[in-house]
């Protein structure tokens, strides 16, 4: 009796696991908590990080799930580019609201800069999405690693192995092309610039 490994189904299963574990909601939850901690220099920054994660990741994810249950989209990936605009507007509104709360509450500059960087990135994603299906998952995975490398240590750049895995999974699942994931990751990396200016 012989067994085979590395079949297309095995690859798809692995890709699905990667894309589910490292979906934007999860990456932003961990990343924003860590950025908040670094920005404040103590545990109170976790509260600002949680607010950031709520506005940048959890609220948009809840909106997508709500629309999915209503039958608007088949799943959280929203593979049809033409149906993505409402999601971007929800993200922009949610991050914008969270940023205003941070300003009013005198949040550490670092976490506010991260929020603003994510807001600008979302504007870029929305603009590109009008003509081309850029990868949001790749953009978020890249942005969080870049922001962490500036907030904490350049050692966080090793996290780009995770970003590469996310890009691979999106291509393997045929949600995106290589160019679309590279473009998303490049846009995400550019968000670190906002942190450097603070």
């Amino acid at each position: 009796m012989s067994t085979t490994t590395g079949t297309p189904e095995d690859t798809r299963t692995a890709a699905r696991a990667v894309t589910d574990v490292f979906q934007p909601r999860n990456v932003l939850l961990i990343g924003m908590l860590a950025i908040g901690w670094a920005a404040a220099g103590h545990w109170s920054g976790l509260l600002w990080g949680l607010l950031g994660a709520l506005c940048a990741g959890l609220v948009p994810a809840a909106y997508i799930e709500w629309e999915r249950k209503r039958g608007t989209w088949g799943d959280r990936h929203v593979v049809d580019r033409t149906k993505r605009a409402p999601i971007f507007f929800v993200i922009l509104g949610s991050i914008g609201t969270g940023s205003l709360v941070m300003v009013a509450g005198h949040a550490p500059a670092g976490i506010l800069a991260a929020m603003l960087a994510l807001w600008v990135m979302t504007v870029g994603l929305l603009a590109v999405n009008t003509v081309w299906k850029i990868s949001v998952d790749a953009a978020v995975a890249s942005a969080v690693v870049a922001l962490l490398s500036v907030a904490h240590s350049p050692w966080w750049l090793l996290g780009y192995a995770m970003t590469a895995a996310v890009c691979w999974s999106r291509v393997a699942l045929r949600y995106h092309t290589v160019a679309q994931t590279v473009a998303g990751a490049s846009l995400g990396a550019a968000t670190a610039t906002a942190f450097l200016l603070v």
Side-chain angles (χ1 to χ4, degrees):
M1 184 172 90
S2 63
T3 60
T4 58
T5 59
T7 66
E9 188 56 37
D10 291 336
T11 298
R12 188 169 179 81
T13 299
R16 172 67 64 184
V18 170
T19 208
D20 285 344
V21 169
F22 296 114
Q23 63 181 281
R25 175 194 67 197
N26 298 341
V27 172
L28 284 164
L29 178 60
I30 300 302
M32 294 304 280
L33 287 171
I35 291 168
W37 180 294
H42 48 78
W43 69 267
S44 67
L46 292 175
L47 298 177
W48 292 116
L50 183 59
L51 175 61
L54 176 68
C55 295
L58 301 181
V59 167
Y63 170 69
I64 292 171
E65 182 62 17
W66 178 65
E67 289 286 14
R68 188 190 66 76
K69 287 181 177 178
R70 292 178 63 216
T72 306
W73 304 310
D75 62 17
R76 75 161 186 89
H77 302 287
V78 192
V79 295
D80 186 347
R81 175 184 61 81
T82 62
K83 295 182 179 180
R84 290 181 162 191
I87 302 169
F88 290 120
F89 288 118
V90 167
I91 296 170
L92 290 171
S94 184
I95 293 177
T97 300
S99 298
L100 291 175
V101 171
M102 288 183 179
V103 170
H106 306 289
I111 189 69
L112 180 58
M115 288 288 279
L116 296 177
L118 291 173
W119 193 89
V120 170
M121 181 188 75
T122 304
V123 170
L125 289 170
L126 173 59
V128 174
N129 189 74
T130 61
V131 295
W132 195 52
K133 190 182 172 187
I134 190 169
S135 174
V136 174
D137 288 57
V140 171
S142 179
V144 168
V145 170
L147 291 167
L148 284 169
S149 71
V150 177
H152 281 279
S153 161
W155 284 103
W156 276 97
L157 291 173
L158 295 174
Y160 268 103
M162 177 268 296
T163 303
V166 169
C167 292
W168 166 79
S169 73
R170 306 304 287 176
V171 174
L173 292 168
R174 297 186 178 178
Y175 292 146
H176 291 285
T177 64
V178 172
Q180 289 166 345
T181 60
V182 170
S186 298
L187 179 60
T191 61
T193 304
F195 235 118
L196 291 170
L197 297 175
V198 173

